[in-house]
């Protein structure tokens, strides 16, 4: 087991843990009195994208990034190089991207359209766009300007968007009733919340612990891959149990946590939870791989017909066979068997996916 864990540990370290979409982190901090909201809009650059002939209007495509950020109160400039603080200057606790379009014909392209689209459901903004709003449109206005109301913000967005469309027409031409195009724009919205030092340390701690748990889950999934590869033989391969995953997780935490998880009073329950999540996630991945590898057969063929050896019901429909043998089963039955019992044929014990973990 130690060899499997070491191999997985080496590969896990090379994985990129950042994703396009990050879910909110539960931090238990509700003080959001001191904050500023920064909204910027800029053209994405490049030529516009032609639209199909049956399009009713040219349109603007808004690609929007919405972030919620915490900062220690009083931090207005980057820390000096000599600073001894180990805390980051800011913590990103929620981030998501969205895309939506607005037609640019005279009837619908205005403040009302932008207000409905930008300020409401299309962006799924997790905070109200009210008070302490700062605006800039790039590259024409690189400095931030204070805006007082949501209506004023919508007006500035419309003005900038109209300018971008006009500039696109001047530069590329051929944009009229017969030639519809899509112009891409990038909008960034960030709410920066300033909290006290104690609250900020709590946020940092929660962020570190959450990241440690995510990394541990990925590591345990890699462990299961390596275990399946090393145990694969003529009689199939054996799946790691949850108890085995817990032991590997405990060893891994002690080795690499650097005190982040070691001081948690509920470390045992957290490891139990992550082990179960990793076990279930690996099973889900296995189902996905199996779904692509199972071979569909006709119930009346030599591989089909008769009874399903798992549920003992007639094989009438949704019949599949495993790729390395001729035994057939109901699709749902064999998937449940391979994930929850053993990832081998229930009749001949051959590996369900003989080439899946080939190294």
């Amino acid at each position: 087991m130690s060899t499997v864990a070491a191999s997985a540990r080496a590969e896990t370290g090379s994985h990129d843990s950042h994703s396009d979409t990050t879910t909110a982190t539960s931090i238990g901090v509700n003080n959001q009195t001191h904050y500023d909201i920064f909204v910027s809009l800029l053209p994405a650059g490049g030529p516009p994208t032609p639209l199909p002939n049956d399009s009713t209007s040219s349109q603007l495509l808004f690609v929007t990034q919405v972030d919620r950020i915490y900062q220690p109160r009083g931090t207005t400039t980057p820390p000096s190089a000599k600073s001894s603080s180990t805390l980051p200057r800011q913590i990103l606790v929620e981030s998501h991207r969205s895309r939506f379009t607005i037609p640019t014909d005279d009837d619908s392209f205005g403040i009302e359209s932008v207000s409905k689209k930008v300020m409401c459901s299309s962006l799924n903004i997790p905070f109200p766009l009210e008070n302490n709003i700062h605006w800039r449109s790039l590259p024409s206005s690189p400095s931030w300007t204070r805006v007082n109301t949501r209506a004023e913000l919508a007006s500035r967005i419309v003005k900038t968007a109209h300018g971008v469309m006009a500039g696109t027409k001047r530069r590329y031409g051929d944009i009229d009733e017969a030639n519809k195009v899509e112009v891409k724009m990038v909008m960034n919205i960030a709410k920066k919340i300033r909290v006290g030092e104690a609250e900020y340390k709590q946020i940092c701690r929660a962020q570190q612990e959450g990241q440690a748990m995510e990394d541990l889950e990925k590591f345990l999934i890699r462990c299961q891959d390596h275990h399946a590869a090393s145990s694969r033989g003529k009689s199939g391969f054996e799946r790691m149990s949850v108890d085995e995953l817990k032991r590997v997780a405990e060893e891994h935490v002690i080795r690499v946590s650097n005190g982040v998880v070691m001081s948690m009073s509920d470390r045992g329950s957290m490891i139990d939870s992550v082990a179960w999540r990793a076990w279930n996630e690996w099973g889900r991945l296995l189902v996905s791989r199996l779904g692509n590898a199972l071979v569909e057969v006709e119930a009346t063929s030599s591989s089909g017909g008769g009874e399903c050896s798992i549920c003992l019901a007639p094989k009438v429909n949704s019949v599949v066979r495993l790729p390395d043998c001729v035994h057939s089963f109901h699709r749902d039955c064999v998937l449940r068997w391979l994930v929850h019992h053993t990832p081998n044929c229930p009749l001949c014990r051959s590996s369900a996916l003989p080439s899946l973990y080939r190294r």
Side-chain angles (χ1 to χ4, degrees), residues 31 36 111 114 215 224 242 257 267 300 303 320 332 340 346 350:
N31 184 4
D36 288 283
I111 294 178
V114 171
D215 292 343
Q224 293 175 89
V242 176
S257 66
R267 187 185 71 185
T300 57
S303 298
V320 297
D332 291 342
H340 297 293
S350 63

Side-chain angles (χ1 to χ4, degrees), residues 47-327:
T49 303
L51 293 175
N53 294 331
D54 59 353
S55 300
T56 59
S57 171
S58 293
Q59 63 186 26
L60 281 168
L61 169 63
F62 284 82
V63 179
T64 306
Q65 175 81 30
V66 180
D67 298 328
R68 188 158 57 92
I69 299 169
Y70 281 89
Q71 295 178 321
R73 194 173 299 159
T75 300
T76 57
T77 58
S80 65
K82 296 181 180 179
S83 175
S84 59
S85 175
T86 58
L87 296 178
R89 181 170 176 254
Q90 63 182 25
I91 291 289
L92 175 66
V93 297
E94 184 173 5
S95 179
H96 68 263
R97 297 178 183 177
S98 60
R99 299 162 66 93
F100 67 95
T101 57
I102 293 179
T104 60
D105 59 301
D106 292 336
D107 293 334
S108 63
F109 183 39
I111 294 178
E112 181 180 358
S113 177
V114 171
S115 296
K116 289 181 179 179
K117 291 286 185 178
V118 176
M119 309 304 172
C120 300
S121 58
S122 293
L123 286 183
N124 192 26
I125 300 175
F127 47 81
L129 284 176
E130 298 173 353
N131 306 320
N132 303 337
I133 301 175
H134 305 266
W135 158 264
R136 70 178 178 183
S137 59
L138 298 172
S140 59
S141 303
S143 59
W144 293 101
T145 302
R146 184 75 173 263
V147 297
N148 297 316
T149 64
R150 181 186 303 185
E152 182 182 352
L153 175 62
S155 176
R156 289 176 180 270
I157 292 174
V158 168
K159 181 179 179 180
T160 301
H162 273 299
V164 169
M165 285 299 299
T168 301
K169 291 180 180 180
R170 288 194 301 270
R171 182 173 181 181
Y172 296 100
D174 296 330
I175 300 177
D176 50 32
E177 291 297 324
N179 298 283
K180 308 295 193 305
V181 298
E182 179 182 82
V183 178
K184 184 177 179 181
M185 302 193 70
V186 178
M187 179 181 292
N188 293 290
I189 302 175
K191 182 174 185 178
K192 297 187 176 182
I193 306 165
R194 298 181 299 279
V195 297
E197 181 179 357
E199 291 172 306
Y200 190 68
K201 288 181 178 179
Q202 179 187 354
I203 295 169
C204 293
R205 181 73 180 184
Q207 194 84 347
Q208 290 173 334
E209 291 174 354
Q211 186 61 55
M213 293 299 100
E214 288 183 16
D215 292 343
L216 180 59
E217 182 177 347
K218 293 177 182 178
F219 167 73
L220 293 180
I221 291 173
R222 294 300 303 167
C223 277
Q224 293 175 89
D225 275 345
H226 281 274
H227 180 77
S230 62
S231 65
R232 188 174 64 84
K234 293 183 179 180
S235 60
F237 61 88
E238 297 299 327
R239 184 176 180 183
M240 292 181 72
S241 68
V242 176
D243 287 337
E244 288 177 309
L245 289 175
K246 291 178 183 178
R247 288 194 293 270
V248 173
E250 184 73 27
E251 175 189 347
H252 182 71
V253 166
I254 293 174
R255 183 172 300 176
V256 304
S257 66
N258 295 325
V260 172
V261 186
M262 288 298 295
S263 61
M264 293 172 55
S265 59
D266 57 347
R267 187 185 71 185
S269 62
M270 293 294 293
I271 287 179
D272 287 352
S273 175
V274 173
W276 274 107
R277 287 206 309 267
W279 192 85
N280 287 322
E281 177 63 15
W282 193 82
R284 188 192 66 79
L285 294 173
L286 184 63
V287 168
S288 177
R289 293 163 177 167
L290 286 167
N292 295 327
L294 295 175
V295 181
E296 294 187 8
V297 298
E298 294 291 338
T300 57
S301 69
S302 58
S303 298
E307 294 181 345
C308 172
S309 302
I310 299 174
C311 70
L312 303 181
K315 292 185 288 187
V316 178
N317 49 36
S318 298
V319 181
V320 297
R321 68 173 176 84
L322 301 180
D324 202 35
C325 66
V326 296
H327 297 126

